[in-house]
Amino acid sequence: MSEAAGHGLDVVRNPRARRMRLSVDPRSGRVRLTLPPRASLRHALAWAEEQREWVARQRSKLPEVRPFVPGARVPWGDGEIEIVWPAGVARTPRLEGERLLCGGPREGLERRVERWLKREALALLSRETAEYAARAGVKVASVTIGDPRARWGSCASSGAIRYSWRLALAPAFVRRATVAHEVAHRVHMNHGPAFHALVAQLFGADPTPAREWLRRHGAQLHWIGRGAAEA
């Protein structure tokens, strides 16, 4: 938990930390100051203040903020869709080809677009989960979505699977490999050799490139739909 939210950074005491460390989360832009258990908070904050230039350099490398504004192009699977805000169109978003038409007042446009994207992402991920579950001969209790910073998917022992809705913004092979990964956990609740073999069998290919794509580009997905004020 943060000890210095008013200072614009998260302070975390880690029992395994041997020295102070600053880091910038590429998914959120938040600055984290990690401290050993007995380190002085006052001295740590003073040291962090001296690192302002380093923090600024790291933040300058963060992905570009891409809000849901008229004219914006949003990655959607293997393609893109353009947000169009025309007059005389219903406020509920409607996809026509590669154009997402969303009328109504300008205020709240971003929220309406995001709700549509999340609804479509849940439908897509639910279909693909059912497809892989049938292939694996397992049952899935439920499929839900969220917007976690650290995980793209999770599978509980109860059979409930939860995904980041932003997987729908990734290329289809990345999304499907992640779905295969979570469904495979319905058979193996571990990451042993048998689990990885099942993932590859369900996916029908080596999932390594998908994991590598998320490692290299996943942080960028978290900046899509964010406003400048959030950066």
Side-chain angles (χ1 to χ4, degrees):
M1 297 296 290
S2 173
E3 297 182 44
H7 290 78
L9 76 161
D10 298 324
V11 178
V12 178
R13 292 189 183 272
N14 187 328
R16 295 187 296 274
R18 296 183 177 276
R19 58 184 178 83
M20 296 182 295
R21 185 169 65 88
L22 271 178
S23 60
V24 177
D25 188 339
R27 297 158 297 189
S28 66
R30 294 286 300 178
V31 181
R32 170 174 288 198
L33 174 60
T34 303
L35 304 179
R38 298 181 180 276
S40 165
L41 178 60
R42 181 170 61 86
H43 290 160
L45 291 175
W47 174 75
E49 181 68 19
E50 295 172 356
Q51 312 305 314
R52 277 183 168 232
E53 291 188 6
W54 179 86
V55 170
R57 287 197 301 273
Q58 298 308 305
R59 280 183 160 167
S60 70
K61 302 174 185 176
L62 292 173
E64 178 185 2
V65 175
R66 300 174 63 181
F68 295 143
V69 295
R73 299 192 66 84
V74 180
W76 189 249
D78 291 333
E80 285 186 329
I81 54 179
E82 179 185 1
I83 298 173
V84 180
W85 181 52
V89 173
R91 61 187 296 154
T92 301
R94 182 177 77 254
L95 187 63
E96 289 190 356
E98 296 181 352
R99 303 167 75 228
L100 183 62
L101 307 180
C102 185
R106 174 64 181 83
E107 181 181 358
L109 175 70
E110 290 84 356
R111 291 191 298 274
R112 297 196 297 278
V113 169
E114 183 171 323
R115 283 197 297 268
W116 183 90
L117 291 170
K118 288 181 176 179
R119 185 171 63 249
E120 293 298 310
L122 176 58
L124 176 60
L125 290 163
S126 296
R127 287 195 301 271
E128 293 181 344
T129 298
E131 174 190 339
Y132 283 130
R135 194 174 298 177
V138 298
K139 292 184 178 181
V140 172
S142 64
V143 176
T144 58
I145 57 170
D147 195 9
R149 294 292 183 189
R151 305 181 74 175
W152 296 104
S154 62
C155 179
S157 58
S158 64
I161 294 180
R162 187 171 179 81
Y163 299 104
S164 166
W165 75 269
R166 295 178 184 275
L167 280 170
L169 307 176
F173 82 95
V174 175
R175 182 188 69 245
R176 290 180 64 85
T178 305
V179 172
H181 181 108
E182 299 309 329
V183 170
H185 276 311
R186 294 295 296 121
V187 180
H188 304 287
M189 289 297 289
N190 56 59
H191 288 98
F195 165 80
H196 289 295
L198 179 58
V199 174
Q201 178 185 338
L202 294 176
F203 182 48
D206 181 3
T208 302
R211 292 196 300 269
E212 181 65 16
W213 191 97
L214 283 174
R215 189 185 72 80
R216 289 178 175 271
H217 307 291
Q220 298 175 16
L221 302 183
H222 290 282
W223 292 80
I224 297 174
R226 296 179 60 180
E230 300 177 79

